[in-house]
mmCIF file of all heavy atoms in Angstrom:
data_model
loop_
_atom_site.group_PDB
_atom_site.id
_atom_site.type_symbol
_atom_site.label_atom_id
_atom_site.label_comp_id
_atom_site.label_asym_id
_atom_site.label_seq_id
_atom_site.Cartn_x
_atom_site.Cartn_y
_atom_site.Cartn_z
ATOM 1 N N ASP A 283 150.771 34.988 140.165
ATOM 2 C CA ASP A 283 151.865 35.742 139.549
ATOM 3 C C ASP A 283 152.117 35.221 138.148
ATOM 4 O O ASP A 283 152.234 34.014 137.937
ATOM 5 C CB ASP A 283 153.146 35.601 140.384
ATOM 6 C CG ASP A 283 152.911 36.068 141.801
ATOM 7 O OD1 ASP A 283 152.385 37.173 141.955
ATOM 8 O OD2 ASP A 283 153.214 35.304 142.751
ATOM 9 N N GLY A 284 152.192 36.143 137.196
ATOM 10 C CA GLY A 284 152.444 35.729 135.825
ATOM 11 C C GLY A 284 151.966 36.780 134.866
ATOM 12 O O GLY A 284 151.655 37.906 135.273
ATOM 13 N N PRO A 285 151.867 36.414 133.600
ATOM 14 C CA PRO A 285 151.461 37.403 132.598
ATOM 15 C C PRO A 285 150.046 37.943 132.805
ATOM 16 O O PRO A 285 149.770 39.078 132.436
ATOM 17 C CB PRO A 285 151.547 36.644 131.269
ATOM 18 C CG PRO A 285 152.059 35.290 131.558
ATOM 19 C CD PRO A 285 152.160 35.104 133.028
ATOM 20 N N ILE A 286 149.131 37.128 133.368
ATOM 21 C CA ILE A 286 147.791 37.647 133.649
ATOM 22 C C ILE A 286 147.872 38.406 134.964
ATOM 23 O O ILE A 286 148.141 37.819 136.003
ATOM 24 C CB ILE A 286 146.757 36.500 133.810
ATOM 25 C CG1 ILE A 286 146.767 35.594 132.592
ATOM 26 C CG2 ILE A 286 145.369 37.082 134.051
ATOM 27 C CD1 ILE A 286 145.869 34.379 132.720
ATOM 28 N N PRO A 287 147.698 39.733 134.945
ATOM 29 C CA PRO A 287 147.841 40.485 136.189
ATOM 30 C C PRO A 287 146.704 40.163 137.135
ATOM 31 O O PRO A 287 145.577 39.941 136.716
ATOM 32 C CB PRO A 287 147.798 41.948 135.728
ATOM 33 C CG PRO A 287 147.122 41.918 134.413
ATOM 34 C CD PRO A 287 147.291 40.568 133.817
ATOM 35 N N PHE A 288 147.032 40.115 138.422
ATOM 36 C CA PHE A 288 146.009 39.835 139.423
ATOM 37 C C PHE A 288 146.044 40.924 140.466
ATOM 38 O O PHE A 288 147.086 41.256 141.007
ATOM 39 C CB PHE A 288 146.283 38.489 140.092
ATOM 40 C CG PHE A 288 145.449 38.255 141.319
ATOM 41 C CD1 PHE A 288 144.140 37.846 141.194
ATOM 42 C CD2 PHE A 288 145.969 38.474 142.591
ATOM 43 C CE1 PHE A 288 143.356 37.647 142.317
ATOM 44 C CE2 PHE A 288 145.181 38.284 143.708
ATOM 45 C CZ PHE A 288 143.885 37.864 143.573
ATOM 46 N N ARG A 289 144.931 41.536 140.725
ATOM 47 C CA ARG A 289 144.847 42.434 141.868
ATOM 48 C C ARG A 289 143.418 42.418 142.374
ATOM 49 O O ARG A 289 142.468 42.240 141.607
ATOM 50 C CB ARG A 289 145.288 43.847 141.513
ATOM 51 C CG ARG A 289 144.611 44.400 140.290
ATOM 52 C CD ARG A 289 144.953 45.856 140.123
ATOM 53 N NE ARG A 289 143.922 46.475 139.333
ATOM 54 C CZ ARG A 289 144.039 46.693 138.024
ATOM 55 N NH1 ARG A 289 145.129 46.361 137.381
ATOM 56 N NH2 ARG A 289 143.055 47.247 137.361
ATOM 57 N N LEU A 290 143.296 42.565 143.694
ATOM 58 C CA LEU A 290 141.958 42.462 144.274
ATOM 59 C C LEU A 290 141.115 43.658 143.900
ATOM 60 O O LEU A 290 140.023 43.534 143.403
ATOM 61 C CB LEU A 290 142.062 42.365 145.792
ATOM 62 C CG LEU A 290 142.049 40.945 146.318
ATOM 63 C CD1 LEU A 290 142.162 40.952 147.813
ATOM 64 C CD2 LEU A 290 140.798 40.201 145.880
ATOM 65 N N CYS A 291 141.645 44.847 144.190
ATOM 66 C CA CYS A 291 140.990 46.036 143.694
ATOM 67 C C CYS A 291 142.017 47.138 143.653
ATOM 68 O O CYS A 291 143.159 46.953 144.041
ATOM 69 C CB CYS A 291 139.772 46.414 144.523
ATOM 70 S SG CYS A 291 140.147 46.772 146.221
ATOM 71 N N ARG A 292 141.618 48.295 143.174
ATOM 72 C CA ARG A 292 142.606 49.307 142.818
ATOM 73 C C ARG A 292 143.501 49.695 143.993
ATOM 74 O O ARG A 292 144.705 49.715 143.894
ATOM 75 C CB ARG A 292 141.909 50.524 142.213
ATOM 76 C CG ARG A 292 141.602 50.295 140.761
ATOM 77 C CD ARG A 292 141.083 51.526 140.077
ATOM 78 N NE ARG A 292 140.500 51.111 138.810
ATOM 79 C CZ ARG A 292 139.239 50.756 138.663
ATOM 80 N NH1 ARG A 292 138.423 50.809 139.689
ATOM 81 N NH2 ARG A 292 138.779 50.353 137.501
ATOM 82 N N ASP A 293 142.891 50.020 145.130
ATOM 83 C CA ASP A 293 143.736 50.420 146.258
ATOM 84 C C ASP A 293 143.796 49.265 147.239
ATOM 85 O O ASP A 293 142.943 49.130 148.094
ATOM 86 C CB ASP A 293 143.175 51.667 146.922
ATOM 87 C CG ASP A 293 141.669 51.701 146.847
ATOM 88 O OD1 ASP A 293 141.038 50.811 147.470
ATOM 89 O OD2 ASP A 293 141.137 52.552 146.136
ATOM 90 N N ASN A 294 144.811 48.510 147.056
ATOM 91 C CA ASN A 294 145.056 47.278 147.792
ATOM 92 C C ASN A 294 144.169 47.018 149.006
ATOM 93 O O ASN A 294 144.516 47.298 150.148
ATOM 94 C CB ASN A 294 146.525 47.288 148.216
ATOM 95 C CG ASN A 294 146.941 45.928 148.741
ATOM 96 O OD1 ASN A 294 146.165 44.984 148.682
ATOM 97 N ND2 ASN A 294 148.148 45.853 149.235
ATOM 98 N N CYS A 295 142.997 46.471 148.750
ATOM 99 C CA CYS A 295 142.048 46.216 149.831
ATOM 100 C C CYS A 295 142.480 45.034 150.687
ATOM 101 O O CYS A 295 142.060 44.906 151.831
ATOM 102 C CB CYS A 295 140.663 45.924 149.277
ATOM 103 S SG CYS A 295 140.018 47.271 148.330
ATOM 104 N N ALA A 296 143.328 44.175 150.126
ATOM 105 C CA ALA A 296 143.766 43.016 150.901
ATOM 106 C C ALA A 296 144.473 43.488 152.158
ATOM 107 O O ALA A 296 144.356 42.881 153.224
ATOM 108 C CB ALA A 296 144.689 42.151 150.059
ATOM 109 N N GLY A 297 145.205 44.611 152.043
ATOM 110 C CA GLY A 297 145.865 45.181 153.209
ATOM 111 C C GLY A 297 144.841 45.608 154.246
ATOM 112 O O GLY A 297 144.979 45.322 155.427
ATOM 113 N N ALA A 298 143.804 46.237 153.753
ATOM 114 C CA ALA A 298 142.757 46.726 154.653
ATOM 115 C C ALA A 298 142.072 45.568 155.370
ATOM 116 O O ALA A 298 141.642 45.688 156.508
ATOM 117 C CB ALA A 298 141.736 47.525 153.865
ATOM 118 N N LEU A 299 141.998 44.433 154.681
ATOM 119 C CA LEU A 299 141.345 43.260 155.262
ATOM 120 C C LEU A 299 142.038 42.831 156.548
ATOM 121 O O LEU A 299 141.394 42.382 157.485
ATOM 122 C CB LEU A 299 141.409 42.093 154.273
ATOM 123 C CG LEU A 299 140.149 41.751 153.519
ATOM 124 C CD1 LEU A 299 140.401 40.554 152.646
ATOM 125 C CD2 LEU A 299 139.003 41.474 154.472
ATOM 126 N N ARG A 300 143.364 42.953 156.544
ATOM 127 C CA ARG A 300 144.107 42.479 157.700
ATOM 128 C C ARG A 300 143.947 43.415 158.899
ATOM 129 O O ARG A 300 144.129 43.024 160.031
ATOM 130 C CB ARG A 300 145.587 42.290 157.342
ATOM 131 C CG ARG A 300 145.886 40.842 157.006
ATOM 132 C CD ARG A 300 147.319 40.670 156.547
ATOM 133 N NE ARG A 300 147.365 40.424 155.118
ATOM 134 C CZ ARG A 300 147.947 41.213 154.237
ATOM 135 N NH1 ARG A 300 148.547 42.321 154.623
ATOM 136 N NH2 ARG A 300 147.933 40.912 152.970
#
Side-chain angles (χ1 to χ4, degrees):
Chain A
D283 303 310
I286 305 175
F288 168 79
R289 51 172 203 262
L290 265 180
C291 61
R292 278 188 195 89
D293 33 65
N294 191 6
C295 300
L299 256 182
R300 263 176 253 117

